[in-house]
Amino acid sequence: MAEKKDTYIPRDECVDLNAELGKSLKEVEDAILAHPNVLSVGLGMKKSKGTLQRELCFKITVDRKKEAGELKKNELIPPVINGIKTDVEEVLQTIPGAADSKKYRPLIGGSQMEGSSGPGSGTLGCFGKRNSDDKIVILSNWHVLMSNENTIDGARAGQPSHNGCCSCCACNEIGEVVAGEFMANDMDAAIALLDGQEADTIPEVRYINEILDLGFVTGATAPLAGETVYKRGRTTGLTKGQVQNSRIISNTPYVFYNGVAVLRNNQCAIDPVAPHVDYFLKGDSGSVSLNEKNQVVALNYGFDPVSHVTVATDITDVMTQLQFTILDSTFHSGATSSQGNPAEGIPFGGMAAGTMAGNPTFLEAFEQLEAELNQYEQGKRMMNLFAQHRTEMFRLVNENREMKAAWNRYQGPSFLAHIARSIRKKGQQVPAYIKGISMQNLILKMTAVLQRNGSENLAKDVTENYLDILNVIGKGKTPDEWKAALMDQHKNTNR
Amino acid sequence: MKTRKLEYFEDQLKASALGQEVLQVLRTHANEAMYLVNKNRPTMVCWQRHYGPHFIKSVVDSGFEEEVNFIKEVKGISMETLILNMAEVMTDNGTPELKRAIGNFAPQVLYMARNTHNLREIMALIKNGKPTQQHG
């Protein structure tokens, strides 16, 4: 694999870039699709000599790349259109994705699942609500749950596995497949209705709208070219990637369906980000990709073992086609419901939405705070550092014993829940002490633990910044007061 | 050369309001801190492994001797690391009152360890009542 460059683009920048390039996309599409060899035009990241660049361009998918000499003059793709570079790629040849086989109760996204007659193990993507009756469904791939490519033959789903017996004697059965698309509509997707919802919408099997290692799911949105994404699958666990093309064509042969190959349009191509060599492997099928705001953006289903590119379907297309909506978690203390655990279960706190009457959702409030923080050098730096290290911090909080104990003993989840509430509800103070621990105590403890357990880069960044964080925290009790402290700092620096 | 008695620092601290506050905190928690350093195993280990005795001697020296600065690092361990780790271990093992004092004062002590060079500078900062952590 070519050496990886730092191609990280913050999500806000991705939004701006996609909007800017998107303005001329239709016009470019109309012009370029007239070329006989061209199959699709989309936005994506420029690739130069096999290496991704930190630059968005028009991505043009062709059946087969040809030498300039083989093409007529009017068939050549210009290297630059409207001042924006172009990049030509061939149709991606991918194979569907086949080792965390633990049983999880309550059910959780990112864990292993199987169909009663499916070809093998895959991953439970996430949870949604069926539009017609609000009943809870599980999302995964068709090829994880179904034994054939054509019909939903009464297939049922199990976690971590299904022994194939009928429902009355099957072990670990959790639901029945109710809808799916495979050969048509450009997706490999299926949803299963969670068991025990005959009378109402509270399923018998408890579940939590969270993805292992990633935290709470906060709804869904379309993927953006260039944005950083994360997925948790049964085989490769938590990995990080970057959307390198949001509208590629992929051809996927399925060996277990007698080698039937399915060509799909408008797919999303995801490149792994170092240190991950693969974003997705066999067994990760059915997993979902989340953006930096913990929103689901794509349903992963295949990969190219040579280029290590993962292919996934835009989640908004999947939801429209299968008529369901991905759940958007609430974030307030004691948020127990059929959806599972209270806020204490939140590891770092997914950026979940709140639904308290009269108040903005947490996500809206967080976005506003983020936008305001980004106005100051110091705030921007802190947000970027968080984005840069969040995967490692999530992993440490979830997997590292010392880190997990420190975070919980020093009231990390409680402080985080209070901060979330305070962001959502203006003026609400974060308590100075929770069970005798102050936020300063928590930050000092986490600094020491991260210095011992984090990677060299994380430890370095923590060491360089913890005093600034302590300084800001010490200046007030609400996010508005912290923001004011950052503003003062900004003014003093620029004076 | 000044008489090497700790009362010298006590007198300096008494001269300002902030100094008196610092003195009060030291008096309240000194016994518990000494107990932890001498009797509590995790605290003892942390103090010795991070070269606490070397650093404390150097800090005291820098208060008595003109043009002497305290050492910022011993065998790859910085003074800031010592203070941070001692704050951690004493919070883990101390009383709720000590925990609270550490949360309130450790950030400022760490800031001074990073940004000053001798005890005389620290005393001057306290005497002038200047905030030890500043913006920018």
Side-chain angles (χ1 to χ4, degrees):
Chain A
M1 224 169 116
E3 196 188 327
K4 288 275 175 185
K5 287 175 65 171
D6 182 12
T7 56
Y8 173 72
I9 308 173
R11 193 170 192 280
D12 288 342
E13 208 178 312
C14 285
V15 172
D16 296 343
L17 287 170
N18 276 264
E20 196 185 320
L21 270 68
K23 282 180 203 161
S24 48
L25 181 62
K26 182 78 183 75
E27 183 195 327
V28 174
E29 201 174 29
D30 290 345
I32 298 291
L33 279 177
H35 292 231
N37 198 27
V38 174
L39 297 172
S40 80
V41 181
L43 298 180
M45 298 181 72
K46 176 79 183 155
K47 216 172 210 177
S48 180
K49 292 177 187 164
T51 310
L52 280 185
Q53 309 294 313
R54 196 187 178 283
E55 180 182 9
L56 290 198
C57 67
F58 292 119
K59 298 286 266 196
I60 294 148
T61 310
V62 295
D63 190 29
R64 186 176 66 83
K65 276 193 181 182
K66 292 177 180 172
E67 293 298 325
E70 294 178 58
L71 295 163
K72 291 179 194 157
K73 202 174 175 186
N74 64 351
E75 287 176 354
L76 286 169
I77 307 284
V80 176
I81 304 175
N82 293 351
I84 296 156
K85 289 182 186 166
T86 60
D87 203 358
V88 179
E89 284 186 349
E90 290 183 355
V91 171
L92 201 57
Q93 300 292 332
T94 59
I95 55 173
D100 176 9
S101 54
K102 270 192 277 180
K103 178 174 176 172
Y104 288 91
R105 296 294 183 276
L107 294 170
I108 187 165
S111 57
Q112 176 179 299
M113 84 180 297
E114 263 181 33
S116 54
S117 54
S121 303
T123 299
L124 188 163
C126 60
F127 300 93
K129 209 176 248 189
R130 195 158 62 174
N131 295 348
S132 58
D133 55 9
D134 281 353
K135 288 188 175 175
I136 303 298
V137 293
I138 306 163
L139 173 66
S140 190
N141 287 146
W142 175 290
H143 81 261
V144 170
L145 297 170
M146 248 69 78
S147 62
N148 73 82
E149 69 275 32
N150 295 314
T151 53
I152 299 170
D153 45 3
R156 285 155 289 126
Q159 197 291 315
S161 56
H162 195 290
N163 59 7
C165 290
C166 59
S167 293
C168 54
C169 54
C171 303
N172 301 321
E173 185 169 304
I174 54 170
E176 184 179 354
V177 181
V178 287
E181 288 291 349
F182 182 73
M183 294 301 285
N185 293 313
D186 298 319
M187 63 187 69
D188 175 351
I191 51 171
L193 187 69
L194 265 188
D195 280 345
Q197 298 181 89
E198 289 75 20
D200 54 31
T201 55
I202 300 174
E204 196 177 86
V205 186
R206 283 173 63 81
Y207 69 98
I208 178 167
N209 185 33
E210 191 178 327
I211 293 181
L212 285 163
D213 302 336
L214 282 165
F216 272 50
V217 172
T218 61
T221 187
L224 294 174
E227 78 173 323
T228 299
V229 288
Y230 302 84
K231 82 104 211 14
R232 205 281 182 186
R234 161 216 185 251
T235 308
T236 52
L238 176 67
T239 54
K240 183 176 175 181
Q242 197 167 14
V243 178
Q244 57 118 314
N245 191 338
S246 56
R247 276 169 89 177
I248 200 170
I249 295 181
S250 138
N251 186 32
T252 313
Y254 292 82
V255 276
F256 35 81
Y257 295 154
N258 297 319
V260 61
V262 189
L263 192 72
R264 297 192 176 99
N265 294 305
N266 292 332
Q267 302 301 301
C268 175
I270 301 169
D271 251 26
V273 168
H276 305 289
V277 177
D278 289 294
Y279 180 71
F280 174 103
L281 287 173
K282 278 186 181 178
D284 292 333
S285 287
S287 60
V288 287
S289 287
L290 271 67
N291 64 15
E292 291 183 329
K293 296 188 187 305
N294 272 25
Q295 294 165 303
V296 177
V297 295
L299 172 64
N300 311 314
Y301 67 89
F303 69 104
D304 175 6
V306 179
S307 66
H308 303 271
V309 169
T310 298
V311 63
T313 309
D314 181 337
I315 199 68
T316 56
D317 293 343
V318 178
M319 290 196 301
T320 307
Q321 192 59 39
L322 301 185
Q323 292 291 298
F324 76 104
T325 307
I326 283 174
L327 296 177
D328 193 346
S329 291
T330 51
F331 193 135
H332 48 84
S333 64
T336 25
S337 68
S338 61
Q339 293 177 20
N341 293 350
E344 277 72 26
I346 301 165
F348 243 105
M351 304 313 170
T355 52
M356 292 169 83
N359 289 319
T361 63
F362 173 73
L363 194 61
E364 285 162 358
F366 184 83
E367 275 174 354
Q368 191 190 336
L369 178 74
E370 193 181 12
E372 285 170 14
L373 287 180
N374 276 331
Q375 290 170 16
Y376 319 117
E377 202 48 51
Q378 188 77 340
K380 200 173 185 174
R381 199 163 60 86
M382 283 182 187
M383 295 308 292
N384 282 344
L385 283 172
F386 177 69
Q388 201 179 323
H389 295 297
R390 61 169 247 167
T391 315
E392 185 180 353
M393 292 199 290
F394 274 136
R395 185 179 55 74
L396 287 170
V397 165
N398 283 308
E399 292 172 9
N400 181 287
R401 200 176 158 70
E402 189 187 9
M403 184 83 182
K404 204 190 280 188
W407 178 243
N408 287 300
R409 284 189 194 148
Y410 278 71
Q411 308 302 324
S414 303
F415 275 115
L416 202 60
H418 279 286
I419 293 170
R421 202 173 310 157
S422 181
I423 289 174
R424 213 172 47 214
K425 201 172 177 184
K426 290 248 172 213
Q428 179 138 352
Q429 292 190 347
V430 176
Y433 295 94
I434 298 177
K435 294 183 183 168
I437 298 289
S438 67
M439 246 207 299
Q440 282 84 348
N441 288 134
L442 169 68
I443 293 167
L444 288 167
K445 177 73 180 178
M446 295 317 289
T447 302
V449 178
L450 281 168
Q451 283 179 343
R452 284 195 291 273
N453 296 283
S455 64
E456 205 177 314
N457 271 346
L458 176 59
K460 181 174 154 283
D461 283 344
V462 163
T463 307
E464 277 173 12
N465 293 285
Y466 78 99
L467 280 177
D468 287 341
I469 296 170
L470 281 167
N471 189 20
V472 170
I473 295 292
K475 301 284 177 196
K477 288 178 179 170
T478 65
D480 279 341
E481 288 168 355
W482 300 331
K483 223 161 54 190
L486 276 172
M487 207 177 350
D488 284 351
Q489 219 163 353
H490 182 72
K491 278 182 198 159
N492 290 344
T493 313
N494 291 326
R495 203 165 272 169
Chain B
M1 193 172 138
K2 296 181 183 77
T3 316
R4 294 178 68 95
K5 281 187 175 176
L6 290 176
E7 285 79 4
Y8 169 68
F9 300 121
E10 200 174 325
D11 292 342
Q12 288 196 30
L13 288 173
K14 278 181 189 165
S16 69
L18 181 61
Q20 284 171 18
E21 195 189 332
V22 171
L23 204 56
Q24 183 58 41
V25 174
L26 291 174
R27 281 178 179 151
T28 310
H29 300 289
N31 283 346
E32 186 181 354
M34 291 299 285
Y35 173 83
L36 289 171
V37 168
N38 291 315
K39 303 284 182 190
N40 177 272
R41 189 155 179 82
T43 314
M44 266 159 68
V45 169
C46 181
W47 179 245
Q48 296 299 332
R49 286 204 183 146
H50 291 88
Y51 305 104
H54 284 71
F55 281 114
I56 197 78
K57 182 179 181 304
S58 159
V59 171
V60 172
D61 285 350
S62 76
F64 286 117
E65 313 290 342
E66 293 295 330
E67 293 171 18
V68 170
N69 289 340
F70 47 63
I71 41 174
K72 290 250 179 178
E73 195 175 300
V74 179
K75 295 179 188 170
I77 304 282
S78 68
M79 185 188 285
E80 203 181 316
T81 306
L82 163 74
I83 297 167
L84 181 65
N85 282 277
M86 287 303 289
E88 181 197 11
V89 76
M90 287 169 107
T91 310
D92 283 345
N93 295 284
T95 58
E97 292 74 26
L98 183 63
K99 278 188 180 57
R100 189 173 279 231
I102 290 170
N104 287 342
F105 292 96
Q108 298 177 33
V109 177
L110 285 159
Y111 176 84
M112 287 193 286
R114 187 182 281 190
N115 295 293
T116 61
H117 303 92
N118 52 60
L119 194 53
R120 303 181 308 278
E121 261 181 60
I122 295 173
M123 287 297 179
L125 278 174
I126 294 173
K127 195 177 172 184
N128 295 330
K130 280 187 184 167
T132 48
Q133 225 176 329
Q134 292 170 343
H135 289 311

